[in-house]
């Protein structure tokens, strides 16, 4: 319902980085992928969070999704 802007992006990044609920982290990474990357590409902040998630998240889907998002933007 809300337009994707810096505040919304920051909220999704916060959830992806700090929330213990894997379902919320999955929703955040999916929304970040569909919203920000399609419009503006990866910025450094998002790239850093995704790289961190590849190595540190305890949820396999999030690790794989973070890697896929980075690879998709390199093509």
């Amino acid at each position: 319902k809300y337009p994707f802007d810096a505040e919304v992006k920051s909220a999704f990044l916060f959830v992806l980085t700090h929330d213990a609920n894997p379902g919320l982290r999955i929703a955040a990474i999916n929304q970040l992928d569909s919203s920000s990357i399609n419009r503006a590409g990866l910025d450094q902040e998002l790239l850093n969070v995704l790289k961190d998630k590849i190595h540190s998240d305890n949820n396999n889907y999030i690790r794989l999704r973070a890697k896929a998002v980075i690879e998709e933007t390199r093509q």
Side-chain angles (χ1 to χ4, degrees):
K1 294 182 180 183
Y2 299 102
F4 191 83
D5 60 13
E7 286 184 53
V8 172
K9 178 185 151 208
S10 292
F12 286 134
L13 288 175
F14 182 85
V15 169
L16 185 57
T17 306
H18 296 97
D19 205 291
N21 184 327
L24 290 177
R25 293 194 317 273
I26 288 169
I29 198 167
N30 287 341
Q31 194 61 39
L32 282 165
D33 181 23
S34 66
S35 297
S36 64
I37 295 172
N38 290 338
R39 294 183 195 154
L42 280 177
D43 64 14
Q44 193 60 45
E45 181 183 21
L46 181 54
L47 182 61
N48 291 340
V49 170
L50 292 174
K51 285 181 178 180
D52 180 60
K53 290 285 116 183
I54 289 171
H55 302 291
S56 68
D57 203 279
N58 61 2
N59 184 284
N60 190 47
Y61 177 83
I62 294 171
R63 289 191 310 269
L64 292 173
R65 184 79 166 147
K67 184 177 180 180
V69 169
I70 292 171
E71 289 174 355
E72 287 171 12
T73 58
R74 289 185 179 164
Q75 295 177 353

